[in-house]
Amino acid sequence: MGRLFPNKGLYQTFFPLLIVISLQQLAALTVNLVDNLMLGTYTELALSGATLVNQIQFMLQSFVTGIGTGVAVLGAQYWGKGQVDPIRRITSLGLKAGLLVGLIFFIVTLLLPEQALGLLTSDRAVVAEGEKYLRLMCWTYVIYAVSNTLMYSLQSVETAFVGTIMSLSTIAINSCLNYCLIFGHFGAPELGIRGAAIATLTSRVVELGIILVYLFFVDKKLKMKPVHLLSWDMTFLRDYIHISLPVVLTGGLWGIAQAVQTSILGHISAETIAANSIATVVSQLFIVVGMSATNASSVTIGKTIGEGNMHLVRPYARSLQRIFLVNGLISGMLIFLCKDWIISLYAVSGETAALAAQFLTVLAVVTVGSCYEYPVEAGIIGGGGNTRFAAIMDNCFMWLFTIPASYLSAFVFEFPPVVTFALLKADQLIKCIPNSIYCNRFTWVRQLTRDVEKHEE
C-alpha cells in the first residue's frame, strides 16, 4: 500500500473526488440506460432514432467538456494557491463560451433537424423517428452547456457532490416521466419517443435550477454572485484560451469523429445502430470510475502544482497510473461477465442482440485501455497544464487510423459489423503506449497561475 499511495495527500484529494464524481456520472448514465431500456422496450425504431440524436448530444458534450476543462485546470491551480477571485473570473469566461456553443447547436438542430440526422444514416424511418425526438431535445442544449460549465468550476475547488444531487434528481424525474409519457401510464398520453424528450427537457431544467441555487446561496468557497457571471473581465482570457482551445478543438473533432463512426455503423443497418446503442450505454456504466478518474486526477495534479509541491507530482502520477490499470482490468471483466444478462433486458430482435453481445465482448477488452489512456492524457498530463498533447494524440489516431480503417472495413472490404466496430475502438488500446511514455517523462508539468489584483467580493 505504501508504494501505491506514497503520500496521504494523494488519496485525501483524489479519492473523495473520484467517489463523488463517479456517483454523479453513474447517476447521469443511469438516466441514459433508463431511456435506452424504455425506448428499446417500446420499439426498436424509437431506440435507433434516439441513438442518432444522442450522437448530436455527444458532440455538444465534447465541446462543453473542453470549455469546462479549461475552467477546471486553471481553477485547480489557483485553488492550490488559495486564490478564489481568479476562479470566478475564469468561470465567467467559460460560461460565455458554453452559452455560445449551446446556442449554435440549438439553432442548427431547431432549423435543420432532418438534414442533421440525415448525415448519420440513410434509413428514412430512423431519421423520421429521430426528428420527433430532436425537435424537443434541441431546447436542452443551452441549458446543458450552462449547467455543466458551472459544474466544472465547482469541481476545481473540490466541490463535486452537488453534481450527484443533480444527477439523482434527474434519475427520479426522468424515469417517472419516461414511464408515464412513453407508454401512456397513469392517465398520461402515450407519446413514445416524444415523451422521452419531454422527460429529458424537464430534468435538465431542474438540474440547472439546483446548481444555480447551490452556487449562489449554499457554496462557501467561490462565493459566486450573478454579477461575477455577467461580468466581461478579460484578464484571464489569454490564459483560458491557451488551456481550453486545444481541448475544445479536440472535443469538437472527437465529437464529429464519433458522429462519423455512428454514420459508418448507421449505414450498415438499423440493427447495427441499435446494437451499438446498447453496447455503448452499457459499457459506459462499467467504465464510469475510469472516466471519472480523469476529472479527479486533473484537479489533484493541478492543485498539487498550484500549491508548489512539485516534488509530489512524480509519485502522484505513477500511483495514479497503477490505479487506472487496476480499475480497467476490473471494469473489462465485469462487462464480459454481465453482458448477456443485460442484453436480455432489451426487447430487441435476435440479430440485434447477437450484435450487441459481440460489440460488448470487444469493449470488454478495449475498456482496459480506455480506463488507462484517457485519464493519463486528459487527467494527469492535462491537469499538469499540457492540454495540447491530448489534442495531438487523439486527433492523429482518430483521423489517420480509426476513421479510414473502419470505413474501408465497412464499405470496401464489407467485413462483418463486429470487425468494423473493433477497428473503431482499437485506438483506445494503441494509445496506451505513447501516453505511458510521455507521461513518465514528466516534461508536461506547467505552472499556469500568475499574480493578479483581487477584485471586490
Side-chain angles (χ1 to χ4, degrees), residues 418-449:
V418 67
V419 176
T420 301
F421 185 83
L423 288 171
L424 287 171
K425 306 299 178 183
D427 66 308
Q428 296 174 34
L429 281 175
I430 301 171
K431 284 191 294 185
C432 289
I433 298 172
N435 285 358
S436 176
I437 293 172
Y438 185 72
C439 181
N440 290 291
R441 286 179 177 173
F442 298 99
T443 58
W444 41 265
V445 181
R446 307 281 192 276
Q447 175 60 258
L448 304 173
T449 60

mmCIF file of all heavy atoms in Angstrom, residues 418-449:
data_model
loop_
_atom_site.group_PDB
_atom_site.id
_atom_site.type_symbol
_atom_site.label_atom_id
_atom_site.label_comp_id
_atom_site.label_asym_id
_atom_site.label_seq_id
_atom_site.Cartn_x
_atom_site.Cartn_y
_atom_site.Cartn_z
ATOM 1 N N VAL A 418 -18.899 -6.546 -36.523
ATOM 2 C CA VAL A 418 -18.055 -6.615 -35.324
ATOM 3 C C VAL A 418 -16.607 -6.244 -35.632
ATOM 4 O O VAL A 418 -15.904 -5.666 -34.790
ATOM 5 C CB VAL A 418 -18.129 -8.019 -34.673
ATOM 6 C CG1 VAL A 418 -17.505 -9.091 -35.580
ATOM 7 C CG2 VAL A 418 -17.466 -8.013 -33.310
ATOM 8 N N VAL A 419 -16.134 -6.536 -36.851
ATOM 9 C CA VAL A 419 -14.777 -6.163 -37.239
ATOM 10 C C VAL A 419 -14.672 -4.648 -37.364
ATOM 11 O O VAL A 419 -13.710 -4.018 -36.885
ATOM 12 C CB VAL A 419 -14.383 -6.841 -38.563
ATOM 13 C CG1 VAL A 419 -13.007 -6.364 -39.020
ATOM 14 C CG2 VAL A 419 -14.402 -8.355 -38.410
ATOM 15 N N THR A 420 -15.666 -4.051 -38.014
ATOM 16 C CA THR A 420 -15.694 -2.594 -38.131
ATOM 17 C C THR A 420 -15.744 -1.942 -36.752
ATOM 18 O O THR A 420 -15.033 -0.966 -36.482
ATOM 19 C CB THR A 420 -16.912 -2.149 -38.962
ATOM 20 O OG1 THR A 420 -16.843 -2.747 -40.261
ATOM 21 C CG2 THR A 420 -16.963 -0.641 -39.096
ATOM 22 N N PHE A 421 -16.574 -2.487 -35.881
ATOM 23 C CA PHE A 421 -16.703 -1.949 -34.517
ATOM 24 C C PHE A 421 -15.369 -2.047 -33.774
ATOM 25 O O PHE A 421 -14.965 -1.108 -33.074
ATOM 26 C CB PHE A 421 -17.791 -2.722 -33.765
ATOM 27 C CG PHE A 421 -18.091 -2.169 -32.398
ATOM 28 C CD1 PHE A 421 -18.946 -1.096 -32.235
ATOM 29 C CD2 PHE A 421 -17.519 -2.731 -31.260
ATOM 30 C CE1 PHE A 421 -19.230 -0.590 -30.976
ATOM 31 C CE2 PHE A 421 -17.789 -2.233 -29.995
ATOM 32 C CZ PHE A 421 -18.648 -1.156 -29.858
ATOM 33 N N ALA A 422 -14.679 -3.171 -33.925
ATOM 34 C CA ALA A 422 -13.383 -3.345 -33.258
ATOM 35 C C ALA A 422 -12.360 -2.329 -33.749
ATOM 36 O O ALA A 422 -11.578 -1.777 -32.966
ATOM 37 C CB ALA A 422 -12.868 -4.765 -33.490
ATOM 38 N N LEU A 423 -12.365 -2.053 -35.052
ATOM 39 C CA LEU A 423 -11.442 -1.054 -35.594
ATOM 40 C C LEU A 423 -11.769 0.351 -35.083
ATOM 41 O O LEU A 423 -10.880 1.183 -34.891
ATOM 42 C CB LEU A 423 -11.485 -1.086 -37.124
ATOM 43 C CG LEU A 423 -10.840 -2.311 -37.779
ATOM 44 C CD1 LEU A 423 -11.140 -2.352 -39.270
ATOM 45 C CD2 LEU A 423 -9.331 -2.312 -37.537
ATOM 46 N N LEU A 424 -13.064 0.614 -34.857
ATOM 47 C CA LEU A 424 -13.470 1.910 -34.328
ATOM 48 C C LEU A 424 -12.961 2.134 -32.904
ATOM 49 O O LEU A 424 -12.796 3.280 -32.465
ATOM 50 C CB LEU A 424 -14.997 2.027 -34.341
ATOM 51 C CG LEU A 424 -15.659 2.208 -35.710
ATOM 52 C CD1 LEU A 424 -17.173 2.084 -35.595
ATOM 53 C CD2 LEU A 424 -15.299 3.569 -36.306
ATOM 54 N N LYS A 425 -12.721 1.056 -32.180
ATOM 55 C CA LYS A 425 -12.317 1.165 -30.775
ATOM 56 C C LYS A 425 -10.845 0.833 -30.536
ATOM 57 O O LYS A 425 -10.345 1.022 -29.417
ATOM 58 C CB LYS A 425 -13.170 0.222 -29.913
ATOM 59 C CG LYS A 425 -14.683 0.407 -30.070
ATOM 60 C CD LYS A 425 -15.126 1.801 -29.675
ATOM 61 C CE LYS A 425 -16.624 1.992 -29.885
ATOM 62 N NZ LYS A 425 -17.058 3.367 -29.559
ATOM 63 N N ALA A 426 -10.149 0.358 -31.548
ATOM 64 C CA ALA A 426 -8.780 -0.140 -31.359
ATOM 65 C C ALA A 426 -7.809 0.928 -30.869
ATOM 66 O O ALA A 426 -6.846 0.630 -30.143
ATOM 67 C CB ALA A 426 -8.268 -0.746 -32.667
ATOM 68 N N ASP A 427 -8.052 2.186 -31.241
ATOM 69 C CA ASP A 427 -7.111 3.242 -30.854
ATOM 70 C C ASP A 427 -7.016 3.403 -29.339
ATOM 71 O O ASP A 427 -5.995 3.865 -28.815
ATOM 72 C CB ASP A 427 -7.514 4.569 -31.499
ATOM 73 C CG ASP A 427 -8.845 5.091 -30.979
ATOM 74 O OD1 ASP A 427 -9.822 4.326 -31.008
ATOM 75 O OD2 ASP A 427 -8.908 6.258 -30.542
ATOM 76 N N GLN A 428 -8.065 3.019 -28.615
ATOM 77 C CA GLN A 428 -8.057 3.160 -27.165
ATOM 78 C C GLN A 428 -7.058 2.216 -26.496
ATOM 79 O O GLN A 428 -6.626 2.460 -25.369
ATOM 80 C CB GLN A 428 -9.469 2.934 -26.613
ATOM 81 C CG GLN A 428 -10.456 3.988 -27.094
ATOM 82 C CD GLN A 428 -11.883 3.707 -26.673
ATOM 83 O OE1 GLN A 428 -12.132 3.175 -25.600
ATOM 84 N NE2 GLN A 428 -12.833 4.067 -27.524
ATOM 85 N N LEU A 429 -6.700 1.151 -27.179
ATOM 86 C CA LEU A 429 -5.637 0.270 -26.700
ATOM 87 C C LEU A 429 -4.266 0.750 -27.178
ATOM 88 O O LEU A 429 -3.307 0.805 -26.410
ATOM 89 C CB LEU A 429 -5.878 -1.162 -27.189
ATOM 90 C CG LEU A 429 -6.905 -2.004 -26.436
ATOM 91 C CD1 LEU A 429 -7.107 -3.341 -27.139
ATOM 92 C CD2 LEU A 429 -6.472 -2.237 -24.990
ATOM 93 N N ILE A 430 -4.207 1.139 -28.445
ATOM 94 C CA ILE A 430 -2.918 1.524 -29.027
ATOM 95 C C ILE A 430 -2.354 2.766 -28.357
ATOM 96 O O ILE A 430 -1.139 2.884 -28.133
ATOM 97 C CB ILE A 430 -3.072 1.753 -30.552
ATOM 98 C CG1 ILE A 430 -3.576 0.474 -31.231
ATOM 99 C CG2 ILE A 430 -1.747 2.176 -31.162
ATOM 100 C CD1 ILE A 430 -3.950 0.668 -32.686
ATOM 101 N N LYS A 431 -3.221 3.718 -28.018
ATOM 102 C CA LYS A 431 -2.759 4.985 -27.426
ATOM 103 C C LYS A 431 -2.133 4.806 -26.050
ATOM 104 O O LYS A 431 -1.469 5.738 -25.555
ATOM 105 C CB LYS A 431 -3.906 5.980 -27.342
ATOM 106 C CG LYS A 431 -4.273 6.623 -28.669
ATOM 107 C CD LYS A 431 -5.225 7.784 -28.494
ATOM 108 C CE LYS A 431 -6.560 7.364 -27.982
ATOM 109 N NZ LYS A 431 -7.533 8.475 -27.916
ATOM 110 N N CYS A 432 -2.326 3.669 -25.419
ATOM 111 C CA CYS A 432 -1.729 3.441 -24.098
ATOM 112 C C CYS A 432 -0.199 3.557 -24.153
ATOM 113 O O CYS A 432 0.427 4.041 -23.200
ATOM 114 C CB CYS A 432 -2.112 2.060 -23.582
ATOM 115 S SG CYS A 432 -3.845 1.897 -23.112
ATOM 116 N N ILE A 433 0.394 3.117 -25.261
ATOM 117 C CA ILE A 433 1.861 3.096 -25.358
ATOM 118 C C ILE A 433 2.451 4.501 -25.393
ATOM 119 O O ILE A 433 3.269 4.855 -24.529
ATOM 120 C CB ILE A 433 2.301 2.269 -26.584
ATOM 121 C CG1 ILE A 433 1.832 0.816 -26.430
ATOM 122 C CG2 ILE A 433 3.818 2.326 -26.747
ATOM 123 C CD1 ILE A 433 2.051 -0.038 -27.669
ATOM 124 N N PRO A 434 2.070 5.365 -26.356
ATOM 125 C CA PRO A 434 2.657 6.713 -26.351
ATOM 126 C C PRO A 434 2.256 7.535 -25.126
ATOM 127 O O PRO A 434 3.054 8.340 -24.637
ATOM 128 C CB PRO A 434 2.116 7.349 -27.641
ATOM 129 C CG PRO A 434 0.898 6.555 -27.983
ATOM 130 C CD PRO A 434 1.182 5.164 -27.522
ATOM 131 N N ASN A 435 1.036 7.328 -24.625
ATOM 132 C CA ASN A 435 0.608 8.073 -23.435
ATOM 133 C C ASN A 435 1.457 7.721 -22.220
ATOM 134 O O ASN A 435 1.839 8.591 -21.431
ATOM 135 C CB ASN A 435 -0.867 7.793 -23.127
ATOM 136 C CG ASN A 435 -1.791 8.507 -24.088
ATOM 137 O OD1 ASN A 435 -1.350 9.239 -24.959
ATOM 138 N ND2 ASN A 435 -3.076 8.289 -23.935
ATOM 139 N N SER A 436 1.775 6.429 -22.067
ATOM 140 C CA SER A 436 2.594 5.992 -20.938
ATOM 141 C C SER A 436 4.012 6.553 -21.043
ATOM 142 O O SER A 436 4.580 7.034 -20.055
ATOM 143 C CB SER A 436 2.637 4.463 -20.890
ATOM 144 O OG SER A 436 3.496 4.020 -19.866
ATOM 145 N N ILE A 437 4.575 6.505 -22.248
ATOM 146 C CA ILE A 437 5.948 7.000 -22.443
ATOM 147 C C ILE A 437 6.036 8.489 -22.119
ATOM 148 O O ILE A 437 6.909 8.930 -21.361
ATOM 149 C CB ILE A 437 6.409 6.733 -23.891
ATOM 150 C CG1 ILE A 437 6.551 5.224 -24.133
ATOM 151 C CG2 ILE A 437 7.739 7.450 -24.174
ATOM 152 C CD1 ILE A 437 6.813 4.855 -25.581
ATOM 153 N N TYR A 438 5.099 9.276 -22.675
ATOM 154 C CA TYR A 438 5.154 10.715 -22.462
ATOM 155 C C TYR A 438 4.864 11.081 -21.012
ATOM 156 O O TYR A 438 5.536 11.956 -20.438
ATOM 157 C CB TYR A 438 4.158 11.415 -23.378
ATOM 158 C CG TYR A 438 4.237 12.930 -23.296
ATOM 159 C CD1 TYR A 438 5.316 13.619 -23.844
ATOM 160 C CD2 TYR A 438 3.233 13.654 -22.660
ATOM 161 C CE1 TYR A 438 5.398 15.002 -23.759
ATOM 162 C CE2 TYR A 438 3.307 15.043 -22.574
ATOM 163 C CZ TYR A 438 4.386 15.707 -23.128
ATOM 164 O OH TYR A 438 4.463 17.076 -23.026
ATOM 165 N N CYS A 439 3.902 10.412 -20.408
ATOM 166 C CA CYS A 439 3.536 10.726 -19.023
ATOM 167 C C CYS A 439 4.722 10.532 -18.085
ATOM 168 O O CYS A 439 4.958 11.352 -17.188
ATOM 169 C CB CYS A 439 2.363 9.846 -18.580
ATOM 170 S SG CYS A 439 1.798 10.157 -16.891
ATOM 171 N N ASN A 440 5.486 9.468 -18.287
ATOM 172 C CA ASN A 440 6.576 9.141 -17.371
ATOM 173 C C ASN A 440 7.886 9.867 -17.679
ATOM 174 O O ASN A 440 8.898 9.638 -17.015
ATOM 175 C CB ASN A 440 6.789 7.626 -17.353
ATOM 176 C CG ASN A 440 5.634 6.910 -16.662
ATOM 177 O OD1 ASN A 440 5.448 7.024 -15.463
ATOM 178 N ND2 ASN A 440 4.826 6.191 -17.435
ATOM 179 N N ARG A 441 7.849 10.757 -18.654
ATOM 180 C CA ARG A 441 8.995 11.644 -18.881
ATOM 181 C C ARG A 441 8.866 12.933 -18.060
ATOM 182 O O ARG A 441 9.847 13.656 -17.876
ATOM 183 C CB ARG A 441 9.107 11.989 -20.367
ATOM 184 C CG ARG A 441 9.633 10.836 -21.208
ATOM 185 C CD ARG A 441 9.700 11.228 -22.682
ATOM 186 N NE ARG A 441 10.278 10.158 -23.492
ATOM 187 C CZ ARG A 441 10.337 10.157 -24.818
ATOM 188 N NH1 ARG A 441 9.836 11.208 -25.481
ATOM 189 N NH2 ARG A 441 10.867 9.164 -25.492
ATOM 190 N N PHE A 442 7.645 13.281 -17.662
ATOM 191 C CA PHE A 442 7.364 14.432 -16.789
ATOM 192 C C PHE A 442 7.833 15.771 -17.364
ATOM 193 O O PHE A 442 8.234 16.668 -16.630
ATOM 194 C CB PHE A 442 7.979 14.212 -15.400
ATOM 195 C CG PHE A 442 7.398 13.018 -14.689
ATOM 196 C CD1 PHE A 442 8.073 11.804 -14.685
ATOM 197 C CD2 PHE A 442 6.177 13.104 -14.050
ATOM 198 C CE1 PHE A 442 7.533 10.690 -14.050
ATOM 199 C CE2 PHE A 442 5.622 11.994 -13.410
ATOM 200 C CZ PHE A 442 6.305 10.799 -13.409
ATOM 201 N N THR A 443 7.742 15.892 -18.684
ATOM 202 C CA THR A 443 8.048 17.182 -19.317
ATOM 203 C C THR A 443 6.786 18.022 -19.510
ATOM 204 O O THR A 443 6.839 19.095 -20.107
ATOM 205 C CB THR A 443 8.716 16.956 -20.686
ATOM 206 O OG1 THR A 443 7.848 16.165 -21.515
ATOM 207 C CG2 THR A 443 10.049 16.248 -20.526
ATOM 208 N N TRP A 444 5.661 17.522 -19.003
ATOM 209 C CA TRP A 444 4.367 18.164 -19.228
ATOM 210 C C TRP A 444 3.947 19.093 -18.089
ATOM 211 O O TRP A 444 2.888 19.732 -18.161
ATOM 212 C CB TRP A 444 3.285 17.092 -19.406
ATOM 213 C CG TRP A 444 3.421 15.921 -18.468
ATOM 214 C CD1 TRP A 444 4.050 14.732 -18.730
ATOM 215 C CD2 TRP A 444 2.944 15.830 -17.112
ATOM 216 N NE1 TRP A 444 3.995 13.905 -17.640
ATOM 217 C CE2 TRP A 444 3.319 14.547 -16.625
ATOM 218 C CE3 TRP A 444 2.236 16.684 -16.275
ATOM 219 C CZ2 TRP A 444 3.007 14.124 -15.345
ATOM 220 C CZ3 TRP A 444 1.921 16.261 -14.993
ATOM 221 C CH2 TRP A 444 2.306 14.992 -14.545
ATOM 222 N N VAL A 445 4.719 19.178 -17.021
ATOM 223 C CA VAL A 445 4.319 19.970 -15.857
ATOM 224 C C VAL A 445 4.414 21.461 -16.179
ATOM 225 O O VAL A 445 5.454 21.952 -16.627
ATOM 226 C CB VAL A 445 5.205 19.636 -14.633
ATOM 227 C CG1 VAL A 445 4.759 20.455 -13.424
ATOM 228 C CG2 VAL A 445 5.131 18.145 -14.327
ATOM 229 N N ARG A 446 3.318 22.198 -15.968
ATOM 230 C CA ARG A 446 3.256 23.625 -16.254
ATOM 231 C C ARG A 446 2.699 24.388 -15.050
ATOM 232 O O ARG A 446 1.714 23.989 -14.454
ATOM 233 C CB ARG A 446 2.329 23.917 -17.451
ATOM 234 C CG ARG A 446 2.641 23.128 -18.721
ATOM 235 C CD ARG A 446 3.808 23.719 -19.492
ATOM 236 N NE ARG A 446 3.910 23.137 -20.808
ATOM 237 C CZ ARG A 446 4.523 22.001 -21.098
ATOM 238 N NH1 ARG A 446 5.110 21.314 -20.129
ATOM 239 N NH2 ARG A 446 4.561 21.544 -22.328
ATOM 240 N N GLN A 447 3.332 25.497 -14.697
ATOM 241 C CA GLN A 447 2.790 26.413 -13.689
ATOM 242 C C GLN A 447 2.003 27.475 -14.448
ATOM 243 O O GLN A 447 2.570 28.293 -15.164
ATOM 244 C CB GLN A 447 3.926 27.046 -12.889
ATOM 245 C CG GLN A 447 3.487 28.097 -11.888
ATOM 246 C CD GLN A 447 2.530 27.575 -10.832
ATOM 247 O OE1 GLN A 447 1.331 27.808 -10.933
ATOM 248 N NE2 GLN A 447 3.057 26.869 -9.834
ATOM 249 N N LEU A 448 0.665 27.463 -14.303
ATOM 250 C CA LEU A 448 -0.202 28.301 -15.131
ATOM 251 C C LEU A 448 -0.658 29.582 -14.456
ATOM 252 O O LEU A 448 -1.177 30.477 -15.117
ATOM 253 C CB LEU A 448 -1.450 27.499 -15.555
ATOM 254 C CG LEU A 448 -1.190 26.179 -16.284
ATOM 255 C CD1 LEU A 448 -2.492 25.428 -16.475
ATOM 256 C CD2 LEU A 448 -0.514 26.438 -17.626
ATOM 257 N N THR A 449 -0.501 29.669 -13.150
ATOM 258 C CA THR A 449 -1.050 30.804 -12.414
ATOM 259 C C THR A 449 -0.127 32.014 -12.477
ATOM 260 O O THR A 449 1.055 31.901 -12.783
ATOM 261 C CB THR A 449 -1.276 30.434 -10.942
ATOM 262 O OG1 THR A 449 -0.022 30.050 -10.361
ATOM 263 C CG2 THR A 449 -2.252 29.288 -10.816
#
